[in-house]
Structure formats: structure tokens, C-alpha cells
Amino acid sequence: EAEEMLKKIERIFGSWKSEKEPEISQKSSVEYNVCTITKPKDIEQVHMIMAFPALKRGSEEKYTLAVLNMAFGGSMGSRLFQHIREDKGLTYSIFSSVSAYEDCGVFTIYAAMNPAQCEEVIISILGEIKRIFTEKLDDEIINNTKQQFISNIIMGNENIQNRMMGMGASKLLLGEYKGVEEDIRQIEAVSCEKIYSLAERLFDMEKMSLCAVGKVEGIDFKGIVQRGIKKYFS
């Protein structure tokens, strides 16, 4: 019972006092640097991430980005998974994800593959990004994606640890916690127009970075990316 628990907490911790106010360090401005980094490692596969600067945690567009991510590469029914892994069989694993922090964020596309397939995978990923704009996500796909996302939130919220982590992070980074009902309302408000407005700004090829680990010797990642960009975005 909430009232009983609050009384217990007050009895045990109510007399605690801080000796001094906590010191808050001055924040430095975030700077995104475009780069291509490779690291040879004696493993069979190549593990690669392509990245774009994205939204900070408190952005009003974070729900739009979440829906776009799930439709593009954040689920087994996404375009990345279906077209590159299932249809073409080019990767062992492929997905996109979003990482959001207090003052910055990043959108990433991860793929694990045979070294001989690196070029085809990278160019195929760039092709899928281009296809977002040439074969647009229709209202049915977007609505189905939103319902799947809402279901994931509701199910995830049944886990107490997930719920407390979400509440704590929101309170610490944003100063407030809006709750699941507000999350659902914001997701339902995502539209096709909002998704494409964000996608046009997100997938800026001049700001794409790449990192690869594994059997990367002899693979010209910069050259492959340039050929893919020339093919689809020139």
C-alpha cells in the first residue's frame, strides 16, 4: 500500500540531511564529428555501424523518430530486416536503433556480415534509405507500426525494472515524468507528414559516420560509401 510504504520510507530516511548542495559541473557543448573508423580483429565477421546525428531525449519529435526507426529497421518486420537479411541473405543480423541523451542523440544502423559482402550490404542499406523517399511508407504501414510500438510500451511497462529505469532517467534528464498514457497519445499523433519531414533532415549523407570491426583489412569503406551515395543520392 502506497501510504504505508511512504510512512516507512519517511521513518527510515526522513532524518537524512545533505551536508552541502551537490556541485553541478558546467556542460560542454556537444560536437558531432563525421568520421570513418576501422579496427582489425581476428574474428570471422565484420561488425559495422553507420550513424547519423539525431534528436536529444527531450525533443518533441522523439516519438516520430521512434516510429520511423521501427518501420525502417527496428523490428523483424522492418524494411532493413526483410529486404537485406531475409530476401537477399546478406547479413547475419541487421537493425537500426536510436540513442538519445540529455543534449544530443544518434541514429544507428548495425549489420554483421561476411567480409566479402561488405560492399553489397553498405550499398543496399543506402538503397533502403533512398527507398524511404521513393516508395513511401503508407498510412496502413505507419498505423500498424504505431500499434506495434504502443504494444511494446505497454508490455515493457509491466516489468517493474523497466518502469523505474524510465521514470528515473526522465526525472534526472528532463526534470519530469509524463507517464505511459502521454507516450501513447504522442505516438498516436505521429503522421506520415511528420515522419518524412524528420527523415529528410535525419538522413543527411554529409553527416554519416561509419565504424567497422573485424576482418576489415583491404576493404575501402570510404570508397564504398561514396559509390553508394553517388548511385542513390547524386
Side-chain angles (χ1 to χ4, degrees), residues 139-165:
D139 290 336
E140 181 180 0
I141 292 174
I142 291 173
N143 288 332
N144 289 340
T145 302
K146 289 195 291 185
Q147 292 307 310
Q148 181 183 354
F149 190 27
I150 290 170
S151 297
N152 290 348
I153 288 177
I154 293 172
M155 292 176 65
N157 200 54
E158 292 178 358
N159 182 294
I160 297 299
Q161 182 176 357
N162 289 346
R163 194 185 310 175
M164 298 305 294
M165 291 289 287

mmCIF file with all atom_site columns, all heavy atoms in Angstrom, residues 139-165:
data_model
loop_
_atom_site.group_PDB
_atom_site.id
_atom_site.type_symbol
_atom_site.label_atom_id
_atom_site.label_alt_id
_atom_site.label_comp_id
_atom_site.label_asym_id
_atom_site.label_entity_id
_atom_site.label_seq_id
_atom_site.pdbx_PDB_ins_code
_atom_site.Cartn_x
_atom_site.Cartn_y
_atom_site.Cartn_z
_atom_site.occupancy
_atom_site.B_iso_or_equiv
_atom_site.pdbx_formal_charge
_atom_site.auth_seq_id
_atom_site.auth_comp_id
_atom_site.auth_asym_id
_atom_site.auth_atom_id
_atom_site.pdbx_PDB_model_num
ATOM 1   N N   . ASP A 1 139 ? -0.103 4.997  -45.021 1.00 0.00 ? 139 ASP A N   1
ATOM 2   C CA  . ASP A 1 139 ? -0.780 5.159  -43.737 1.00 0.00 ? 139 ASP A CA  1
ATOM 3   C C   . ASP A 1 139 ? -1.003 3.832  -43.022 1.00 0.00 ? 139 ASP A C   1
ATOM 4   O O   . ASP A 1 139 ? -0.921 3.753  -41.795 1.00 0.00 ? 139 ASP A O   1
ATOM 5   C CB  . ASP A 1 139 ? -2.122 5.863  -43.944 1.00 0.00 ? 139 ASP A CB  1
ATOM 6   C CG  . ASP A 1 139 ? -1.949 7.333  -44.322 1.00 0.00 ? 139 ASP A CG  1
ATOM 7   O OD1 . ASP A 1 139 ? -0.894 7.895  -43.978 1.00 0.00 ? 139 ASP A OD1 1
ATOM 8   O OD2 . ASP A 1 139 ? -2.861 7.901  -44.949 1.00 0.00 ? 139 ASP A OD2 1
ATOM 9   N N   . GLU A 1 140 ? -1.273 2.769  -43.791 1.00 0.00 ? 140 GLU A N   1
ATOM 10  C CA  . GLU A 1 140 ? -1.516 1.463  -43.165 1.00 0.00 ? 140 GLU A CA  1
ATOM 11  C C   . GLU A 1 140 ? -0.266 0.950  -42.458 1.00 0.00 ? 140 GLU A C   1
ATOM 12  O O   . GLU A 1 140 ? -0.330 0.472  -41.314 1.00 0.00 ? 140 GLU A O   1
ATOM 13  C CB  . GLU A 1 140 ? -1.973 0.450  -44.224 1.00 0.00 ? 140 GLU A CB  1
ATOM 14  C CG  . GLU A 1 140 ? -2.274 -0.925 -43.629 1.00 0.00 ? 140 GLU A CG  1
ATOM 15  C CD  . GLU A 1 140 ? -2.723 -1.929 -44.684 1.00 0.00 ? 140 GLU A CD  1
ATOM 16  O OE1 . GLU A 1 140 ? -2.795 -1.553 -45.877 1.00 0.00 ? 140 GLU A OE1 1
ATOM 17  O OE2 . GLU A 1 140 ? -3.001 -3.085 -44.301 1.00 0.00 ? 140 GLU A OE2 1
ATOM 18  N N   . ILE A 1 141 ? 0.880  1.064  -43.127 1.00 0.00 ? 141 ILE A N   1
ATOM 19  C CA  . ILE A 1 141 ? 2.136  0.617  -42.514 1.00 0.00 ? 141 ILE A CA  1
ATOM 20  C C   . ILE A 1 141 ? 2.450  1.449  -41.279 1.00 0.00 ? 141 ILE A C   1
ATOM 21  O O   . ILE A 1 141 ? 2.841  0.915  -40.229 1.00 0.00 ? 141 ILE A O   1
ATOM 22  C CB  . ILE A 1 141 ? 3.289  0.717  -43.529 1.00 0.00 ? 141 ILE A CB  1
ATOM 23  C CG1 . ILE A 1 141 ? 3.102  -0.311 -44.648 1.00 0.00 ? 141 ILE A CG1 1
ATOM 24  C CG2 . ILE A 1 141 ? 4.640  0.498  -42.833 1.00 0.00 ? 141 ILE A CG2 1
ATOM 25  C CD1 . ILE A 1 141 ? 4.112  -0.191 -45.766 1.00 0.00 ? 141 ILE A CD1 1
ATOM 26  N N   . ILE A 1 142 ? 2.266  2.752  -41.384 1.00 0.00 ? 142 ILE A N   1
ATOM 27  C CA  . ILE A 1 142 ? 2.554  3.628  -40.250 1.00 0.00 ? 142 ILE A CA  1
ATOM 28  C C   . ILE A 1 142 ? 1.630  3.323  -39.077 1.00 0.00 ? 142 ILE A C   1
ATOM 29  O O   . ILE A 1 142 ? 2.065  3.243  -37.929 1.00 0.00 ? 142 ILE A O   1
ATOM 30  C CB  . ILE A 1 142 ? 2.454  5.101  -40.678 1.00 0.00 ? 142 ILE A CB  1
ATOM 31  C CG1 . ILE A 1 142 ? 3.597  5.439  -41.634 1.00 0.00 ? 142 ILE A CG1 1
ATOM 32  C CG2 . ILE A 1 142 ? 2.503  6.020  -39.454 1.00 0.00 ? 142 ILE A CG2 1
ATOM 33  C CD1 . ILE A 1 142 ? 3.511  6.809  -42.251 1.00 0.00 ? 142 ILE A CD1 1
ATOM 34  N N   . ASN A 1 143 ? 0.355  3.129  -39.350 1.00 0.00 ? 143 ASN A N   1
ATOM 35  C CA  . ASN A 1 143 ? -0.592 2.815  -38.278 1.00 0.00 ? 143 ASN A CA  1
ATOM 36  C C   . ASN A 1 143 ? -0.279 1.477  -37.626 1.00 0.00 ? 143 ASN A C   1
ATOM 37  O O   . ASN A 1 143 ? -0.354 1.343  -36.397 1.00 0.00 ? 143 ASN A O   1
ATOM 38  C CB  . ASN A 1 143 ? -2.023 2.812  -38.821 1.00 0.00 ? 143 ASN A CB  1
ATOM 39  C CG  . ASN A 1 143 ? -2.522 4.211  -39.127 1.00 0.00 ? 143 ASN A CG  1
ATOM 40  O OD1 . ASN A 1 143 ? -2.083 5.184  -38.521 1.00 0.00 ? 143 ASN A OD1 1
ATOM 41  N ND2 . ASN A 1 143 ? -3.431 4.326  -40.084 1.00 0.00 ? 143 ASN A ND2 1
ATOM 42  N N   . ASN A 1 144 ? 0.079  0.474  -38.435 1.00 0.00 ? 144 ASN A N   1
ATOM 43  C CA  . ASN A 1 144 ? 0.449  -0.834 -37.876 1.00 0.00 ? 144 ASN A CA  1
ATOM 44  C C   . ASN A 1 144 ? 1.707  -0.724 -37.023 1.00 0.00 ? 144 ASN A C   1
ATOM 45  O O   . ASN A 1 144 ? 1.815  -1.358 -35.963 1.00 0.00 ? 144 ASN A O   1
ATOM 46  C CB  . ASN A 1 144 ? 0.668  -1.851 -38.994 1.00 0.00 ? 144 ASN A CB  1
ATOM 47  C CG  . ASN A 1 144 ? -0.625 -2.261 -39.668 1.00 0.00 ? 144 ASN A CG  1
ATOM 48  O OD1 . ASN A 1 144 ? -1.712 -2.097 -39.103 1.00 0.00 ? 144 ASN A OD1 1
ATOM 49  N ND2 . ASN A 1 144 ? -0.530 -2.802 -40.868 1.00 0.00 ? 144 ASN A ND2 1
ATOM 50  N N   . THR A 1 145 ? 2.647  0.090  -37.491 1.00 0.00 ? 145 THR A N   1
ATOM 51  C CA  . THR A 1 145 ? 3.887  0.289  -36.735 1.00 0.00 ? 145 THR A CA  1
ATOM 52  C C   . THR A 1 145 ? 3.614  0.979  -35.417 1.00 0.00 ? 145 THR A C   1
ATOM 53  O O   . THR A 1 145 ? 4.165  0.613  -34.370 1.00 0.00 ? 145 THR A O   1
ATOM 54  C CB  . THR A 1 145 ? 4.885  1.128  -37.566 1.00 0.00 ? 145 THR A CB  1
ATOM 55  O OG1 . THR A 1 145 ? 5.152  0.470  -38.802 1.00 0.00 ? 145 THR A OG1 1
ATOM 56  C CG2 . THR A 1 145 ? 6.196  1.302  -36.807 1.00 0.00 ? 145 THR A CG2 1
ATOM 57  N N   . LYS A 1 146 ? 2.734  1.971  -35.430 1.00 0.00 ? 146 LYS A N   1
ATOM 58  C CA  . LYS A 1 146 ? 2.388  2.672  -34.190 1.00 0.00 ? 146 LYS A CA  1
ATOM 59  C C   . LYS A 1 146 ? 1.731  1.729  -33.194 1.00 0.00 ? 146 LYS A C   1
ATOM 60  O O   . LYS A 1 146 ? 2.039  1.769  -31.995 1.00 0.00 ? 146 LYS A O   1
ATOM 61  C CB  . LYS A 1 146 ? 1.467  3.857  -34.504 1.00 0.00 ? 146 LYS A CB  1
ATOM 62  C CG  . LYS A 1 146 ? 2.172  4.998  -35.221 1.00 0.00 ? 146 LYS A CG  1
ATOM 63  C CD  . LYS A 1 146 ? 1.367  6.294  -35.194 1.00 0.00 ? 146 LYS A CD  1
ATOM 64  C CE  . LYS A 1 146 ? 0.127  6.232  -36.011 1.00 0.00 ? 146 LYS A CE  1
ATOM 65  N NZ  . LYS A 1 146 ? -0.582 7.524  -36.077 1.00 0.00 ? 146 LYS A NZ  1
ATOM 66  N N   . GLN A 1 147 ? 0.834  0.870  -33.667 1.00 0.00 ? 147 GLN A N   1
ATOM 67  C CA  . GLN A 1 147 ? 0.173  -0.080 -32.764 1.00 0.00 ? 147 GLN A CA  1
ATOM 68  C C   . GLN A 1 147 ? 1.169  -1.078 -32.182 1.00 0.00 ? 147 GLN A C   1
ATOM 69  O O   . GLN A 1 147 ? 1.088  -1.447 -31.005 1.00 0.00 ? 147 GLN A O   1
ATOM 70  C CB  . GLN A 1 147 ? -0.955 -0.804 -33.500 1.00 0.00 ? 147 GLN A CB  1
ATOM 71  C CG  . GLN A 1 147 ? -2.130 0.094  -33.857 1.00 0.00 ? 147 GLN A CG  1
ATOM 72  C CD  . GLN A 1 147 ? -2.663 0.858  -32.656 1.00 0.00 ? 147 GLN A CD  1
ATOM 73  O OE1 . GLN A 1 147 ? -2.926 0.286  -31.600 1.00 0.00 ? 147 GLN A OE1 1
ATOM 74  N NE2 . GLN A 1 147 ? -2.832 2.165  -32.816 1.00 0.00 ? 147 GLN A NE2 1
ATOM 75  N N   . GLN A 1 148 ? 2.127  -1.513 -33.005 1.00 0.00 ? 148 GLN A N   1
ATOM 76  C CA  . GLN A 1 148 ? 3.163  -2.422 -32.509 1.00 0.00 ? 148 GLN A CA  1
ATOM 77  C C   . GLN A 1 148 ? 4.017  -1.728 -31.448 1.00 0.00 ? 148 GLN A C   1
ATOM 78  O O   . GLN A 1 148 ? 4.350  -2.315 -30.407 1.00 0.00 ? 148 GLN A O   1
ATOM 79  C CB  . GLN A 1 148 ? 4.052  -2.881 -33.666 1.00 0.00 ? 148 GLN A CB  1
ATOM 80  C CG  . GLN A 1 148 ? 5.152  -3.863 -33.241 1.00 0.00 ? 148 GLN A CG  1
ATOM 81  C CD  . GLN A 1 148 ? 6.069  -4.240 -34.394 1.00 0.00 ? 148 GLN A CD  1
ATOM 82  O OE1 . GLN A 1 148 ? 5.829  -3.857 -35.535 1.00 0.00 ? 148 GLN A OE1 1
ATOM 83  N NE2 . GLN A 1 148 ? 7.114  -4.971 -34.097 1.00 0.00 ? 148 GLN A NE2 1
ATOM 84  N N   . PHE A 1 149 ? 4.355  -0.470 -31.694 1.00 0.00 ? 149 PHE A N   1
ATOM 85  C CA  . PHE A 1 149 ? 5.158  0.304  -30.760 1.00 0.00 ? 149 PHE A CA  1
ATOM 86  C C   . PHE A 1 149 ? 4.420  0.501  -29.438 1.00 0.00 ? 149 PHE A C   1
ATOM 87  O O   . PHE A 1 149 ? 4.988  0.339  -28.351 1.00 0.00 ? 149 PHE A O   1
ATOM 88  C CB  . PHE A 1 149 ? 5.508  1.644  -31.397 1.00 0.00 ? 149 PHE A CB  1
ATOM 89  C CG  . PHE A 1 149 ? 6.519  2.453  -30.644 1.00 0.00 ? 149 PHE A CG  1
ATOM 90  C CD1 . PHE A 1 149 ? 7.466  1.853  -29.824 1.00 0.00 ? 149 PHE A CD1 1
ATOM 91  C CD2 . PHE A 1 149 ? 6.537  3.833  -30.756 1.00 0.00 ? 149 PHE A CD2 1
ATOM 92  C CE1 . PHE A 1 149 ? 8.397  2.590  -29.132 1.00 0.00 ? 149 PHE A CE1 1
ATOM 93  C CE2 . PHE A 1 149 ? 7.453  4.590  -30.064 1.00 0.00 ? 149 PHE A CE2 1
ATOM 94  C CZ  . PHE A 1 149 ? 8.391  3.973  -29.254 1.00 0.00 ? 149 PHE A CZ  1
ATOM 95  N N   . ILE A 1 150 ? 3.135  0.830  -29.525 1.00 0.00 ? 150 ILE A N   1
ATOM 96  C CA  . ILE A 1 150 ? 2.319  1.001  -28.316 1.00 0.00 ? 150 ILE A CA  1
ATOM 97  C C   . ILE A 1 150 ? 2.236  -0.299 -27.529 1.00 0.00 ? 150 ILE A C   1
ATOM 98  O O   . ILE A 1 150 ? 2.353  -0.308 -26.299 1.00 0.00 ? 150 ILE A O   1
ATOM 99  C CB  . ILE A 1 150 ? 0.918  1.515  -28.690 1.00 0.00 ? 150 ILE A CB  1
ATOM 100 C CG1 . ILE A 1 150 ? 0.998  2.966  -29.184 1.00 0.00 ? 150 ILE A CG1 1
ATOM 101 C CG2 . ILE A 1 150 ? -0.042 1.423  -27.497 1.00 0.00 ? 150 ILE A CG2 1
ATOM 102 C CD1 . ILE A 1 150 ? -0.276 3.487  -29.797 1.00 0.00 ? 150 ILE A CD1 1
ATOM 103 N N   . SER A 1 151 ? 2.070  -1.419 -28.229 1.00 0.00 ? 151 SER A N   1
ATOM 104 C CA  . SER A 1 151 ? 2.017  -2.730 -27.560 1.00 0.00 ? 151 SER A CA  1
ATOM 105 C C   . SER A 1 151 ? 3.321  -3.016 -26.830 1.00 0.00 ? 151 SER A C   1
ATOM 106 O O   . SER A 1 151 ? 3.318  -3.518 -25.700 1.00 0.00 ? 151 SER A O   1
ATOM 107 C CB  . SER A 1 151 ? 1.738  -3.825 -28.585 1.00 0.00 ? 151 SER A CB  1
ATOM 108 O OG  . SER A 1 151 ? 0.468  -3.647 -29.179 1.00 0.00 ? 151 SER A OG  1
ATOM 109 N N   . ASN A 1 152 ? 4.449  -2.690 -27.484 1.00 0.00 ? 152 ASN A N   1
ATOM 110 C CA  . ASN A 1 152 ? 5.756  -2.906 -26.849 1.00 0.00 ? 152 ASN A CA  1
ATOM 111 C C   . ASN A 1 152 ? 5.901  -2.068 -25.583 1.00 0.00 ? 152 ASN A C   1
ATOM 112 O O   . ASN A 1 152 ? 6.456  -2.535 -24.572 1.00 0.00 ? 152 ASN A O   1
ATOM 113 C CB  . ASN A 1 152 ? 6.876  -2.556 -27.829 1.00 0.00 ? 152 ASN A CB  1
ATOM 114 C CG  . ASN A 1 152 ? 6.992  -3.540 -28.971 1.00 0.00 ? 152 ASN A CG  1
ATOM 115 O OD1 . ASN A 1 152 ? 6.382  -4.612 -28.942 1.00 0.00 ? 152 ASN A OD1 1
ATOM 116 N ND2 . ASN A 1 152 ? 7.744  -3.188 -29.990 1.00 0.00 ? 152 ASN A ND2 1
ATOM 117 N N   . ILE A 1 153 ? 5.409  -0.837 -25.622 1.00 0.00 ? 153 ILE A N   1
ATOM 118 C CA  . ILE A 1 153 ? 5.498  0.037  -24.443 1.00 0.00 ? 153 ILE A CA  1
ATOM 119 C C   . ILE A 1 153 ? 4.664  -0.520 -23.291 1.00 0.00 ? 153 ILE A C   1
ATOM 120 O O   . ILE A 1 153 ? 5.115  -0.584 -22.147 1.00 0.00 ? 153 ILE A O   1
ATOM 121 C CB  . ILE A 1 153 ? 5.035  1.465  -24.799 1.00 0.00 ? 153 ILE A CB  1
ATOM 122 C CG1 . ILE A 1 153 ? 6.077  2.142  -25.679 1.00 0.00 ? 153 ILE A CG1 1
ATOM 123 C CG2 . ILE A 1 153 ? 4.799  2.294  -23.536 1.00 0.00 ? 153 ILE A CG2 1
ATOM 124 C CD1 . ILE A 1 153 ? 5.678  3.526  -26.145 1.00 0.00 ? 153 ILE A CD1 1
ATOM 125 N N   . ILE A 1 154 ? 3.448  -0.942 -23.599 1.00 0.00 ? 154 ILE A N   1
ATOM 126 C CA  . ILE A 1 154 ? 2.559  -1.471 -22.565 1.00 0.00 ? 154 ILE A CA  1
ATOM 127 C C   . ILE A 1 154 ? 3.144  -2.736 -21.946 1.00 0.00 ? 154 ILE A C   1
ATOM 128 O O   . ILE A 1 154 ? 3.170  -2.903 -20.717 1.00 0.00 ? 154 ILE A O   1
ATOM 129 C CB  . ILE A 1 154 ? 1.162  -1.733 -23.145 1.00 0.00 ? 154 ILE A CB  1
ATOM 130 C CG1 . ILE A 1 154 ? 0.493  -0.411 -23.531 1.00 0.00 ? 154 ILE A CG1 1
ATOM 131 C CG2 . ILE A 1 154 ? 0.293  -2.481 -22.143 1.00 0.00 ? 154 ILE A CG2 1
ATOM 132 C CD1 . ILE A 1 154 ? -0.802 -0.574 -24.287 1.00 0.00 ? 154 ILE A CD1 1
ATOM 133 N N   . MET A 1 155 ? 3.654  -3.626 -22.787 1.00 0.00 ? 155 MET A N   1
ATOM 134 C CA  . MET A 1 155 ? 4.232  -4.870 -22.282 1.00 0.00 ? 155 MET A CA  1
ATOM 135 C C   . MET A 1 155 ? 5.511  -4.599 -21.497 1.00 0.00 ? 155 MET A C   1
ATOM 136 O O   . MET A 1 155 ? 5.746  -5.202 -20.446 1.00 0.00 ? 155 MET A O   1
ATOM 137 C CB  . MET A 1 155 ? 4.501  -5.821 -23.445 1.00 0.00 ? 155 MET A CB  1
ATOM 138 C CG  . MET A 1 155 ? 3.233  -6.340 -24.116 1.00 0.00 ? 155 MET A CG  1
ATOM 139 S SD  . MET A 1 155 ? 3.573  -7.370 -25.568 1.00 0.00 ? 155 MET A SD  1
ATOM 140 C CE  . MET A 1 155 ? 4.401  -8.762 -24.787 1.00 0.00 ? 155 MET A CE  1
ATOM 141 N N   . GLY A 1 156 ? 6.344  -3.681 -22.006 1.00 0.00 ? 156 GLY A N   1
ATOM 142 C CA  . GLY A 1 156 ? 7.580  -3.350 -21.307 1.00 0.00 ? 156 GLY A CA  1
ATOM 143 C C   . GLY A 1 156 ? 7.316  -2.702 -19.963 1.00 0.00 ? 156 GLY A C   1
ATOM 144 O O   . GLY A 1 156 ? 8.076  -2.885 -19.015 1.00 0.00 ? 156 GLY A O   1
ATOM 145 N N   . ASN A 1 157 ? 6.216  -1.960 -19.871 1.00 0.00 ? 157 ASN A N   1
ATOM 146 C CA  . ASN A 1 157 ? 5.882  -1.275 -18.630 1.00 0.00 ? 157 ASN A CA  1
ATOM 147 C C   . ASN A 1 157 ? 5.420  -2.234 -17.540 1.00 0.00 ? 157 ASN A C   1
ATOM 148 O O   . ASN A 1 157 ? 5.353  -1.863 -16.367 1.00 0.00 ? 157 ASN A O   1
ATOM 149 C CB  . ASN A 1 157 ? 4.793  -0.224 -18.897 1.00 0.00 ? 157 ASN A CB  1
ATOM 150 C CG  . ASN A 1 157 ? 4.741  0.836  -17.823 1.00 0.00 ? 157 ASN A CG  1
ATOM 151 O OD1 . ASN A 1 157 ? 5.756  1.467  -17.519 1.00 0.00 ? 157 ASN A OD1 1
ATOM 152 N ND2 . ASN A 1 157 ? 3.585  1.043  -17.238 1.00 0.00 ? 157 ASN A ND2 1
ATOM 153 N N   . GLU A 1 158 ? 5.107  -3.462 -17.923 1.00 0.00 ? 158 GLU A N   1
ATOM 154 C CA  . GLU A 1 158 ? 4.728  -4.457 -16.929 1.00 0.00 ? 158 GLU A CA  1
ATOM 155 C C   . GLU A 1 158 ? 5.933  -4.934 -16.121 1.00 0.00 ? 158 GLU A C   1
ATOM 156 O O   . GLU A 1 158 ? 5.781  -5.499 -15.046 1.00 0.00 ? 158 GLU A O   1
ATOM 157 C CB  . GLU A 1 158 ? 4.049  -5.645 -17.621 1.00 0.00 ? 158 GLU A CB  1
ATOM 158 C CG  . GLU A 1 158 ? 2.680  -5.284 -18.211 1.00 0.00 ? 158 GLU A CG  1
ATOM 159 C CD  . GLU A 1 158 ? 2.042  -6.450 -18.937 1.00 0.00 ? 158 GLU A CD  1
ATOM 160 O OE1 . GLU A 1 158 ? 2.670  -7.531 -19.018 1.00 0.00 ? 158 GLU A OE1 1
ATOM 161 O OE2 . GLU A 1 158 ? 0.907  -6.295 -19.425 1.00 0.00 ? 158 GLU A OE2 1
ATOM 162 N N   . ASN A 1 159 ? 7.125  -4.688 -16.672 1.00 0.00 ? 159 ASN A N   1
ATOM 163 C CA  . ASN A 1 159 ? 8.357  -5.022 -15.958 1.00 0.00 ? 159 ASN A CA  1
ATOM 164 C C   . ASN A 1 159 ? 8.718  -3.856 -15.037 1.00 0.00 ? 159 ASN A C   1
ATOM 165 O O   . ASN A 1 159 ? 8.944  -2.740 -15.500 1.00 0.00 ? 159 ASN A O   1
ATOM 166 C CB  . ASN A 1 159 ? 9.486  -5.285 -16.963 1.00 0.00 ? 159 ASN A CB  1
ATOM 167 C CG  . ASN A 1 159 ? 10.780 -5.693 -16.294 1.00 0.00 ? 159 ASN A CG  1
ATOM 168 O OD1 . ASN A 1 159 ? 11.394 -4.906 -15.584 1.00 0.00 ? 159 ASN A OD1 1
ATOM 169 N ND2 . ASN A 1 159 ? 11.209 -6.913 -16.546 1.00 0.00 ? 159 ASN A ND2 1
ATOM 170 N N   . ILE A 1 160 ? 8.765  -4.113 -13.737 1.00 0.00 ? 160 ILE A N   1
ATOM 171 C CA  . ILE A 1 160 ? 8.991  -3.044 -12.757 1.00 0.00 ? 160 ILE A CA  1
ATOM 172 C C   . ILE A 1 160 ? 10.335 -2.366 -12.975 1.00 0.00 ? 160 ILE A C   1
ATOM 173 O O   . ILE A 1 160 ? 10.449 -1.133 -12.876 1.00 0.00 ? 160 ILE A O   1
ATOM 174 C CB  . ILE A 1 160 ? 8.906  -3.597 -11.323 1.00 0.00 ? 160 ILE A CB  1
ATOM 175 C CG1 . ILE A 1 160 ? 7.501  -4.139 -11.049 1.00 0.00 ? 160 ILE A CG1 1
ATOM 176 C CG2 . ILE A 1 160 ? 9.255  -2.515 -10.308 1.00 0.00 ? 160 ILE A CG2 1
ATOM 177 C CD1 . ILE A 1 160 ? 6.406  -3.099 -11.157 1.00 0.00 ? 160 ILE A CD1 1
ATOM 178 N N   . GLN A 1 161 ? 11.366 -3.143 -13.313 1.00 0.00 ? 161 GLN A N   1
ATOM 179 C CA  . GLN A 1 161 ? 12.693 -2.547 -13.519 1.00 0.00 ? 161 GLN A CA  1
ATOM 180 C C   . GLN A 1 161 ? 12.671 -1.584 -14.709 1.00 0.00 ? 161 GLN A C   1
ATOM 181 O O   . GLN A 1 161 ? 13.212 -0.477 -14.623 1.00 0.00 ? 161 GLN A O   1
ATOM 182 C CB  . GLN A 1 161 ? 13.739 -3.639 -13.763 1.00 0.00 ? 161 GLN A CB  1
ATOM 183 C CG  . GLN A 1 161 ? 15.148 -3.082 -13.924 1.00 0.00 ? 161 GLN A CG  1
ATOM 184 C CD  . GLN A 1 161 ? 16.193 -4.172 -14.076 1.00 0.00 ? 161 GLN A CD  1
ATOM 185 O OE1 . GLN A 1 161 ? 15.877 -5.349 -13.999 1.00 0.00 ? 161 GLN A OE1 1
ATOM 186 N NE2 . GLN A 1 161 ? 17.422 -3.792 -14.306 1.00 0.00 ? 161 GLN A NE2 1
ATOM 187 N N   . ASN A 1 162 ? 12.039 -1.987 -15.812 1.00 0.00 ? 162 ASN A N   1
ATOM 188 C CA  . ASN A 1 162 ? 11.923 -1.099 -16.969 1.00 0.00 ? 162 ASN A CA  1
ATOM 189 C C   . ASN A 1 162 ? 11.200 0.192  -16.599 1.00 0.00 ? 162 ASN A C   1
ATOM 190 O O   . ASN A 1 162 ? 11.590 1.298  -16.994 1.00 0.00 ? 162 ASN A O   1
ATOM 191 C CB  . ASN A 1 162 ? 11.158 -1.794 -18.099 1.00 0.00 ? 162 ASN A CB  1
ATOM 192 C CG  . ASN A 1 162 ? 11.957 -2.905 -18.737 1.00 0.00 ? 162 ASN A CG  1
ATOM 193 O OD1 . ASN A 1 162 ? 13.163 -3.011 -18.525 1.00 0.00 ? 162 ASN A OD1 1
ATOM 194 N ND2 . ASN A 1 162 ? 11.289 -3.738 -19.521 1.00 0.00 ? 162 ASN A ND2 1
ATOM 195 N N   . ARG A 1 163 ? 10.116 0.045  -15.835 1.00 0.00 ? 163 ARG A N   1
ATOM 196 C CA  . ARG A 1 163 ? 9.327  1.205  -15.452 1.00 0.00 ? 163 ARG A CA  1
ATOM 197 C C   . ARG A 1 163 ? 10.143 2.169  -14.595 1.00 0.00 ? 163 ARG A C   1
ATOM 198 O O   . ARG A 1 163 ? 10.136 3.379  -14.816 1.00 0.00 ? 163 ARG A O   1
ATOM 199 C CB  . ARG A 1 163 ? 8.080  0.749  -14.695 1.00 0.00 ? 163 ARG A CB  1
ATOM 200 C CG  . ARG A 1 163 ? 7.027  1.834  -14.532 1.00 0.00 ? 163 ARG A CG  1
ATOM 201 C CD  . ARG A 1 163 ? 5.865  1.363  -13.674 1.00 0.00 ? 163 ARG A CD  1
ATOM 202 N NE  . ARG A 1 163 ? 5.338  0.081  -14.102 1.00 0.00 ? 163 ARG A NE  1
ATOM 203 C CZ  . ARG A 1 163 ? 4.394  -0.583 -13.448 1.00 0.00 ? 163 ARG A CZ  1
ATOM 204 N NH1 . ARG A 1 163 ? 3.880  -0.078 -12.338 1.00 0.00 ? 163 ARG A NH1 1
ATOM 205 N NH2 . ARG A 1 163 ? 3.953  -1.741 -13.892 1.00 0.00 ? 163 ARG A NH2 1
ATOM 206 N N   . MET A 1 164 ? 10.856 1.643  -13.610 1.00 0.00 ? 164 MET A N   1
ATOM 207 C CA  . MET A 1 164 ? 11.636 2.501  -12.715 1.00 0.00 ? 164 MET A CA  1
ATOM 208 C C   . MET A 1 164 ? 12.807 3.152  -13.439 1.00 0.00 ? 164 MET A C   1
ATOM 209 O O   . MET A 1 164 ? 13.133 4.312  -13.188 1.00 0.00 ? 164 MET A O   1
ATOM 210 C CB  . MET A 1 164 ? 12.134 1.689  -11.509 1.00 0.00 ? 164 MET A CB  1
ATOM 211 C CG  . MET A 1 164 ? 11.018 1.104  -10.648 1.00 0.00 ? 164 MET A CG  1
ATOM 212 S SD  . MET A 1 164 ? 9.830  2.344  -10.072 1.00 0.00 ? 164 MET A SD  1
ATOM 213 C CE  . MET A 1 164 ? 10.859 3.317  -8.988  1.00 0.00 ? 164 MET A CE  1
ATOM 214 N N   . MET A 1 165 ? 13.453 2.406  -14.357 1.00 0.00 ? 165 MET A N   1
ATOM 215 C CA  . MET A 1 165 ? 14.553 2.987  -15.122 1.00 0.00 ? 165 MET A CA  1
ATOM 216 C C   . MET A 1 165 ? 14.054 4.143  -15.986 1.00 0.00 ? 165 MET A C   1
ATOM 217 O O   . MET A 1 165 ? 14.693 5.189  -16.085 1.00 0.00 ? 165 MET A O   1
ATOM 218 C CB  . MET A 1 165 ? 15.202 1.919  -16.006 1.00 0.00 ? 165 MET A CB  1
ATOM 219 C CG  . MET A 1 165 ? 15.974 0.860  -15.247 1.00 0.00 ? 165 MET A CG  1
ATOM 220 S SD  . MET A 1 165 ? 17.508 1.501  -14.531 1.00 0.00 ? 165 MET A SD  1
ATOM 221 C CE  . MET A 1 165 ? 18.504 1.685  -16.011 1.00 0.00 ? 165 MET A CE  1
#
